[in-house]
Amino acid sequence: MQSPLTIPVPVPVLRLPRGPDGFSRGFASDGRRTILRPEVGEGHIQDPPESQEQRARATLRERYLRSLLAMVGHPVSFTLHEGVHVTAQFGATDLDVANFYVSQLQTPIGVQAE
């Protein structure tokens, strides 16, 4: 049995910006960078919806990570199974926010350093 023929899907071409000298494409050999300017058409900036969504997601991700960074060293409290309350100083969390790294964990039976 032969596999069905697949029609090739067109792939978008990524064009590098013009180099600092104006003729080449890519990066300058001395490390200089040019500032990318948005495409302008009919008096307004044309930006595809995917790009806007990606920019919004990146902004939200950055805010989230900055908020986690701002929490480091601040006191936090957790309510565990069966209503047990503990307090500690926040250190970090994993990607899924399922595990936390804390220090000076104050439990009903004592203090754990980390």
Side-chain angles (χ1 to χ4, degrees):
M1 183 171 168
Q2 292 182 347
S3 63
L5 294 176
T6 58
I7 300 173
V9 177
V11 176
V13 175
L14 173 67
R15 298 219 180 257
L16 294 173
R18 293 246 180 234
D21 59 0
F23 300 105
S24 66
R25 292 211 178 255
F27 303 100
S29 58
D30 60 358
R32 292 179 293 154
R33 295 183 180 192
T34 59
I35 299 173
L36 294 177
R37 294 192 171 88
E39 298 177 12
V40 178
E42 298 180 11
H44 67 281
I45 298 174
Q46 296 175 345
D47 206 4
E50 296 86 17
S51 178
Q52 291 174 353
E53 181 180 350
Q54 183 177 4
R55 192 174 3 265
R57 287 178 182 267
T59 301
L60 291 172
R61 188 177 317 115
E62 183 179 0
R63 283 184 187 175
Y64 171 70
L65 292 174
R66 287 186 186 276
S67 69
L68 286 178
L69 187 60
M71 288 176 52
V72 173
H74 284 79
V76 291
S77 61
F78 299 99
T79 303
L80 304 178
H81 187 66
E82 295 185 5
V84 176
H85 295 283
V86 295
T87 59
Q89 287 187 348
F90 184 81
T93 183
D94 65 351
L95 183 63
D96 298 326
V97 194
N99 300 303
F100 295 95
Y101 169 78
V102 295
S103 58
Q104 300 304 315
L105 179 65
Q106 298 176 2
T107 68
I109 60 171
V111 176
Q112 285 286 24
E114 295 184 345

